[in-house]
Amino acid sequence: MAVYLCHEQPDLYEHDAHVIDARPGAVVLSRSAFHPGGGGQVSDIGTIETADGAIEVTHIEPDGDTWWHVLSDADATIEGDVHVAIDADHRLRVASLHTMSHVLNALVFDEFEGSLVTGAQINGDGTGRMDFDLSAIDNDRLRALAEPVNDVIARGLEVRAVYVDADEAAATPGLVRSMSVAPPPTPDGRLRLIDVDGLDRQACGGTHLTNTGQSRRFEIGKIENKGKHNRRVRFRLGD
Ligand SMILES: [Zn+2]
């Protein structure tokens, strides 16, 4: 995985670019601060402004290292110089839930003797889910973890992205619990880790908050038993 512009400059929501490839309803840009999604996280949304007006980007369709910015108008063709704007509210919702999914992951790992995450999904509407490899547990114990997640929001812990050698990371106990949704290393063999200060450190290529205090309340909804060894926890952002 390449190092994304949105990883290098997480606060960059607007910039100029030019179209380097186009088809009806989609364009490839010379640079893009959109997050392409992946690992269960939806992509950024936003707009591309041209001399003729603004058009919405509904999602990113990655094709290898090429990102097609898919437009709301399937017939639209765009060329030349453009101005790009990322939807900051959407980014914040997704980054909030994604960051809290790290926190929940860490709490489940501690509460249930090293239980692993087997899948995750973060949606643009402020909802998401995580699947944990858990069997024969009381779902109320799982549901009760919403409170310590909200404690972490209230404490305002710093969240940092750091890059480490991928081989070293593979040998570090604890990082492995999220490998099912972890990104591949960068071309120079580094792995991106998200560090929630004093609580959690795991490999991830998604978008995150820079401080847990930026999140709205975290609420746990339905918990489903999906197979003998799988609990699906649904969650959402509260008010
Ligand atoms: Zn993440």
Side-chain angles (χ1 to χ4, degrees):
M1 160 179 134
V3 177
Y4 301 159
L5 181 57
C6 61
H7 288 166
E8 293 176 311
Q9 296 185 54
D11 297 328
L12 181 66
Y13 288 96
E14 281 195 47
H15 62 83
D16 294 327
H18 57 267
V19 174
I20 57 172
D21 200 358
R23 63 178 198 228
V27 291
V28 180
L29 300 175
S30 57
R31 63 196 291 255
S32 174
F34 276 76
H35 189 280
Q41 178 188 319
V42 291
S43 73
D44 276 322
I45 60 174
T47 54
I48 293 178
E49 291 161 39
T50 70
D52 299 327
I55 187 160
E56 282 173 40
V57 176
T58 59
H59 63 284
I60 304 292
E61 194 182 286
D63 177 12
D65 287 338
T66 300
W67 297 354
W68 286 97
H69 297 66
V70 180
L71 308 172
S72 55
D73 178 352
D75 299 322
T77 51
I78 295 179
E79 51 181 27
D81 293 331
V82 296
H83 187 75
V84 173
I86 313 285
D87 185 324
D89 292 336
H90 174 95
R91 168 76 71 82
L92 177 63
R93 279 195 300 274
V94 171
S96 293
L97 269 187
H98 192 147
T99 305
M100 291 317 127
S101 76
H102 283 232
V103 172
L104 180 63
N105 184 350
L107 293 169
V108 168
F109 189 78
D110 284 347
E111 176 79 15
F112 300 104
E113 292 94 36
S115 168
L116 301 179
V117 174
T118 55
Q121 192 181 313
I122 307 295
N123 306 315
D125 64 355
T127 67
R129 64 166 170 82
M130 282 180 102
D131 289 351
F132 294 99
D133 181 5
L134 286 170
S135 58
I137 60 123
D138 179 355
N139 283 348
D140 285 342
R141 255 177 88 197
L142 204 45
R143 194 181 307 282
L145 294 178
E147 204 181 312
V149 172
N150 283 308
D151 287 345
V152 170
I153 293 173
R155 282 163 65 197
L157 301 183
E158 205 183 320
V159 182
R160 284 175 297 259
V162 293
Y163 287 87
V164 297
D165 183 80
D167 293 334
E168 246 178 74
T172 306
L175 288 173
V176 78
R177 73 177 181 272
S178 57
M179 281 303 182
S180 66
V181 291
T186 60
D188 60 359
R190 294 179 307 156
L191 199 62
R192 182 176 188 252
L193 298 185
I194 298 301
D195 183 85
V196 182
D197 192 30
L199 183 79
D200 185 50
R201 210 162 204 242
Q202 60 185 284
C204 191
T207 51
H208 306 85
L209 303 173
T210 53
N211 187 293
T212 60
Q214 294 158 343
S215 179
R216 279 149 57 189
R217 267 190 73 76
F218 180 83
E219 297 174 349
I220 289 181
K222 209 168 154 191
I223 298 175
E224 298 163 89
N225 301 347
K226 292 273 178 189
K228 217 173 174 184
H229 296 285
N230 195 12
R231 294 299 154 105
R232 175 163 294 176
V233 182
R234 295 190 183 275
F235 47 77
R236 61 182 170 262
L237 292 175
D239 295 329

PDB file of all heavy atoms in Angstrom, residues 31-53:
ATOM      1  N   ARG A  31      -3.630  14.255  -7.970  1.00  0.00           N
ATOM      2  CA  ARG A  31      -3.454  14.030  -6.522  1.00  0.00           C
ATOM      3  C   ARG A  31      -4.832  14.052  -5.892  1.00  0.00           C
ATOM      4  O   ARG A  31      -5.759  14.667  -6.430  1.00  0.00           O
ATOM      5  CB  ARG A  31      -2.523  15.068  -5.881  1.00  0.00           C
ATOM      6  CG  ARG A  31      -3.024  16.489  -5.931  1.00  0.00           C
ATOM      7  CD  ARG A  31      -1.918  17.489  -5.644  1.00  0.00           C
ATOM      8  NE  ARG A  31      -1.455  17.470  -4.266  1.00  0.00           N
ATOM      9  CZ  ARG A  31      -1.769  18.401  -3.361  1.00  0.00           C
ATOM     10  NH1 ARG A  31      -2.566  19.415  -3.660  1.00  0.00           N
ATOM     11  NH2 ARG A  31      -1.296  18.326  -2.137  1.00  0.00           N
ATOM     12  N   SER A  32      -4.965  13.361  -4.770  1.00  0.00           N
ATOM     13  CA  SER A  32      -6.275  13.281  -4.140  1.00  0.00           C
ATOM     14  C   SER A  32      -6.140  13.029  -2.649  1.00  0.00           C
ATOM     15  O   SER A  32      -5.443  12.109  -2.219  1.00  0.00           O
ATOM     16  CB  SER A  32      -7.079  12.129  -4.768  1.00  0.00           C
ATOM     17  OG  SER A  32      -8.304  11.959  -4.074  1.00  0.00           O
ATOM     18  N   ALA A  33      -6.817  13.856  -1.863  1.00  0.00           N
ATOM     19  CA  ALA A  33      -6.822  13.678  -0.410  1.00  0.00           C
ATOM     20  C   ALA A  33      -7.978  12.800   0.052  1.00  0.00           C
ATOM     21  O   ALA A  33      -8.184  12.604   1.253  1.00  0.00           O
ATOM     22  CB  ALA A  33      -6.890  15.032   0.294  1.00  0.00           C
ATOM     23  N   PHE A  34      -8.737  12.258  -0.897  1.00  0.00           N
ATOM     24  CA  PHE A  34      -9.786  11.303  -0.529  1.00  0.00           C
ATOM     25  C   PHE A  34      -9.148  10.059   0.090  1.00  0.00           C
ATOM     26  O   PHE A  34      -8.088   9.636  -0.337  1.00  0.00           O
ATOM     27  CB  PHE A  34     -10.559  10.856  -1.787  1.00  0.00           C
ATOM     28  CG  PHE A  34     -11.651  11.785  -2.210  1.00  0.00           C
ATOM     29  CD1 PHE A  34     -11.355  12.982  -2.850  1.00  0.00           C
ATOM     30  CD2 PHE A  34     -12.972  11.454  -1.981  1.00  0.00           C
ATOM     31  CE1 PHE A  34     -12.373  13.844  -3.249  1.00  0.00           C
ATOM     32  CE2 PHE A  34     -13.999  12.307  -2.377  1.00  0.00           C
ATOM     33  CZ  PHE A  34     -13.694  13.504  -3.020  1.00  0.00           C
ATOM     34  N   HIS A  35      -9.820   9.474   1.081  1.00  0.00           N
ATOM     35  CA  HIS A  35      -9.432   8.134   1.528  1.00  0.00           C
ATOM     36  C   HIS A  35     -10.214   7.138   0.676  1.00  0.00           C
ATOM     37  O   HIS A  35     -11.423   7.282   0.502  1.00  0.00           O
ATOM     38  CB  HIS A  35      -9.740   7.926   3.014  1.00  0.00           C
ATOM     39  CG  HIS A  35      -9.153   6.643   3.529  1.00  0.00           C
ATOM     40  ND1 HIS A  35      -9.754   5.426   3.316  1.00  0.00           N
ATOM     41  CD2 HIS A  35      -7.986   6.389   4.183  1.00  0.00           C
ATOM     42  CE1 HIS A  35      -8.986   4.484   3.845  1.00  0.00           C
ATOM     43  NE2 HIS A  35      -7.906   5.034   4.369  1.00  0.00           N
ATOM     44  N   PRO A  36      -9.527   6.118   0.121  1.00  0.00           N
ATOM     45  CA  PRO A  36     -10.198   5.216  -0.820  1.00  0.00           C
ATOM     46  C   PRO A  36     -11.056   4.139  -0.146  1.00  0.00           C
ATOM     47  O   PRO A  36     -11.687   3.344  -0.846  1.00  0.00           O
ATOM     48  CB  PRO A  36      -9.015   4.560  -1.549  1.00  0.00           C
ATOM     49  CG  PRO A  36      -7.917   4.536  -0.527  1.00  0.00           C
ATOM     50  CD  PRO A  36      -8.091   5.804   0.276  1.00  0.00           C
ATOM     51  N   GLY A  37     -11.087   4.126   1.189  1.00  0.00           N
ATOM     52  CA  GLY A  37     -11.806   3.055   1.875  1.00  0.00           C
ATOM     53  C   GLY A  37     -10.941   1.809   1.943  1.00  0.00           C
ATOM     54  O   GLY A  37      -9.794   1.799   1.499  1.00  0.00           O
ATOM     55  N   GLY A  38     -11.502   0.746   2.525  1.00  0.00           N
ATOM     56  CA  GLY A  38     -10.750  -0.508   2.652  1.00  0.00           C
ATOM     57  C   GLY A  38     -10.696  -0.950   4.098  1.00  0.00           C
ATOM     58  O   GLY A  38     -10.907  -0.152   5.010  1.00  0.00           O
ATOM     59  N   GLY A  39     -10.455  -2.249   4.305  1.00  0.00           N
ATOM     60  CA  GLY A  39     -10.415  -2.780   5.665  1.00  0.00           C
ATOM     61  C   GLY A  39     -11.755  -2.628   6.365  1.00  0.00           C
ATOM     62  O   GLY A  39     -11.821  -2.528   7.585  1.00  0.00           O
ATOM     63  N   GLY A  40     -12.844  -2.590   5.597  1.00  0.00           N
ATOM     64  CA  GLY A  40     -14.174  -2.464   6.189  1.00  0.00           C
ATOM     65  C   GLY A  40     -14.671  -1.032   6.311  1.00  0.00           C
ATOM     66  O   GLY A  40     -15.809  -0.804   6.715  1.00  0.00           O
ATOM     67  N   GLN A  41     -13.816  -0.072   5.986  1.00  0.00           N
ATOM     68  CA  GLN A  41     -14.206   1.334   6.102  1.00  0.00           C
ATOM     69  C   GLN A  41     -14.663   1.861   4.740  1.00  0.00           C
ATOM     70  O   GLN A  41     -14.008   1.625   3.736  1.00  0.00           O
ATOM     71  CB  GLN A  41     -13.005   2.152   6.597  1.00  0.00           C
ATOM     72  CG  GLN A  41     -13.307   3.651   6.698  1.00  0.00           C
ATOM     73  CD  GLN A  41     -12.063   4.484   7.003  1.00  0.00           C
ATOM     74  OE1 GLN A  41     -11.230   4.113   7.814  1.00  0.00           O
ATOM     75  NE2 GLN A  41     -11.948   5.624   6.349  1.00  0.00           N
ATOM     76  N   VAL A  42     -15.780   2.611   4.712  1.00  0.00           N
ATOM     77  CA  VAL A  42     -16.217   3.251   3.463  1.00  0.00           C
ATOM     78  C   VAL A  42     -15.219   4.334   3.067  1.00  0.00           C
ATOM     79  O   VAL A  42     -14.498   4.858   3.903  1.00  0.00           O
ATOM     80  CB  VAL A  42     -17.623   3.897   3.584  1.00  0.00           C
ATOM     81  CG1 VAL A  42     -18.693   2.854   3.726  1.00  0.00           C
ATOM     82  CG2 VAL A  42     -17.676   4.926   4.711  1.00  0.00           C
ATOM     83  N   SER A  43     -15.228   4.702   1.794  1.00  0.00           N
ATOM     84  CA  SER A  43     -14.330   5.763   1.313  1.00  0.00           C
ATOM     85  C   SER A  43     -14.879   7.125   1.718  1.00  0.00           C
ATOM     86  O   SER A  43     -16.026   7.244   2.146  1.00  0.00           O
ATOM     87  CB  SER A  43     -14.178   5.683  -0.208  1.00  0.00           C
ATOM     88  OG  SER A  43     -15.365   6.131  -0.840  1.00  0.00           O
ATOM     89  N   ASP A  44     -14.044   8.151   1.540  1.00  0.00           N
ATOM     90  CA  ASP A  44     -14.516   9.525   1.669  1.00  0.00           C
ATOM     91  C   ASP A  44     -15.522   9.840   0.561  1.00  0.00           C
ATOM     92  O   ASP A  44     -15.545   9.171  -0.479  1.00  0.00           O
ATOM     93  CB  ASP A  44     -13.336  10.503   1.522  1.00  0.00           C
ATOM     94  CG  ASP A  44     -12.580  10.702   2.816  1.00  0.00           C
ATOM     95  OD1 ASP A  44     -13.218  10.743   3.880  1.00  0.00           O
ATOM     96  OD2 ASP A  44     -11.337  10.844   2.761  1.00  0.00           O
ATOM     97  N   ILE A  45     -16.325  10.868   0.805  1.00  0.00           N
ATOM     98  CA  ILE A  45     -17.162  11.443  -0.233  1.00  0.00           C
ATOM     99  C   ILE A  45     -16.812  12.937  -0.317  1.00  0.00           C
ATOM    100  O   ILE A  45     -16.116  13.454   0.563  1.00  0.00           O
ATOM    101  CB  ILE A  45     -18.672  11.263   0.053  1.00  0.00           C
ATOM    102  CG1 ILE A  45     -19.064  11.949   1.371  1.00  0.00           C
ATOM    103  CG2 ILE A  45     -19.035   9.782   0.100  1.00  0.00           C
ATOM    104  CD1 ILE A  45     -20.570  11.937   1.636  1.00  0.00           C
ATOM    105  N   GLY A  46     -17.290  13.614  -1.361  1.00  0.00           N
ATOM    106  CA  GLY A  46     -16.971  15.037  -1.479  1.00  0.00           C
ATOM    107  C   GLY A  46     -17.430  15.587  -2.804  1.00  0.00           C
ATOM    108  O   GLY A  46     -18.379  15.067  -3.398  1.00  0.00           O
ATOM    109  N   THR A  47     -16.753  16.639  -3.269  1.00  0.00           N
ATOM    110  CA  THR A  47     -17.118  17.245  -4.553  1.00  0.00           C
ATOM    111  C   THR A  47     -15.872  17.551  -5.375  1.00  0.00           C
ATOM    112  O   THR A  47     -14.783  17.744  -4.826  1.00  0.00           O
ATOM    113  CB  THR A  47     -17.885  18.569  -4.369  1.00  0.00           C
ATOM    114  OG1 THR A  47     -17.109  19.436  -3.535  1.00  0.00           O
ATOM    115  CG2 THR A  47     -19.242  18.355  -3.748  1.00  0.00           C
ATOM    116  N   ILE A  48     -16.069  17.574  -6.689  1.00  0.00           N
ATOM    117  CA  ILE A  48     -15.051  18.057  -7.617  1.00  0.00           C
ATOM    118  C   ILE A  48     -15.650  19.275  -8.307  1.00  0.00           C
ATOM    119  O   ILE A  48     -16.725  19.190  -8.905  1.00  0.00           O
ATOM    120  CB  ILE A  48     -14.675  16.973  -8.644  1.00  0.00           C
ATOM    121  CG1 ILE A  48     -13.973  15.808  -7.936  1.00  0.00           C
ATOM    122  CG2 ILE A  48     -13.783  17.561  -9.743  1.00  0.00           C
ATOM    123  CD1 ILE A  48     -13.604  14.655  -8.858  1.00  0.00           C
ATOM    124  N   GLU A  49     -14.949  20.410  -8.187  1.00  0.00           N
ATOM    125  CA  GLU A  49     -15.425  21.650  -8.808  1.00  0.00           C
ATOM    126  C   GLU A  49     -14.654  21.913 -10.093  1.00  0.00           C
ATOM    127  O   GLU A  49     -13.428  21.834 -10.108  1.00  0.00           O
ATOM    128  CB  GLU A  49     -15.231  22.828  -7.846  1.00  0.00           C
ATOM    129  CG  GLU A  49     -16.140  22.773  -6.631  1.00  0.00           C
ATOM    130  CD  GLU A  49     -15.627  23.655  -5.499  1.00  0.00           C
ATOM    131  OE1 GLU A  49     -15.121  24.754  -5.789  1.00  0.00           O
ATOM    132  OE2 GLU A  49     -15.717  23.223  -4.329  1.00  0.00           O
ATOM    133  N   THR A  50     -15.415  22.223 -11.144  1.00  0.00           N
ATOM    134  CA  THR A  50     -14.822  22.594 -12.423  1.00  0.00           C
ATOM    135  C   THR A  50     -15.353  23.978 -12.786  1.00  0.00           C
ATOM    136  O   THR A  50     -16.176  24.546 -12.059  1.00  0.00           O
ATOM    137  CB  THR A  50     -15.226  21.606 -13.537  1.00  0.00           C
ATOM    138  OG1 THR A  50     -16.623  21.786 -13.815  1.00  0.00           O
ATOM    139  CG2 THR A  50     -15.014  20.155 -13.096  1.00  0.00           C
ATOM    140  N   ALA A  51     -14.923  24.496 -13.920  1.00  0.00           N
ATOM    141  CA  ALA A  51     -15.421  25.802 -14.387  1.00  0.00           C
ATOM    142  C   ALA A  51     -16.929  25.750 -14.612  1.00  0.00           C
ATOM    143  O   ALA A  51     -17.619  26.768 -14.545  1.00  0.00           O
ATOM    144  CB  ALA A  51     -14.701  26.182 -15.677  1.00  0.00           C
ATOM    145  N   ASP A  52     -17.470  24.548 -14.852  1.00  0.00           N
ATOM    146  CA  ASP A  52     -18.908  24.391 -15.126  1.00  0.00           C
ATOM    147  C   ASP A  52     -19.748  24.163 -13.867  1.00  0.00           C
ATOM    148  O   ASP A  52     -20.962  23.999 -13.958  1.00  0.00           O
ATOM    149  CB  ASP A  52     -19.136  23.200 -16.075  1.00  0.00           C
ATOM    150  CG  ASP A  52     -18.433  23.409 -17.409  1.00  0.00           C
ATOM    151  OD1 ASP A  52     -18.345  24.576 -17.829  1.00  0.00           O
ATOM    152  OD2 ASP A  52     -17.965  22.413 -17.991  1.00  0.00           O
ATOM    153  N   GLY A  53     -19.106  24.066 -12.695  1.00  0.00           N
ATOM    154  CA  GLY A  53     -19.864  23.830 -11.469  1.00  0.00           C
ATOM    155  C   GLY A  53     -19.294  22.661 -10.681  1.00  0.00           C
ATOM    156  O   GLY A  53     -18.260  22.094 -11.047  1.00  0.00           O
TER     157      GLY A  53
END
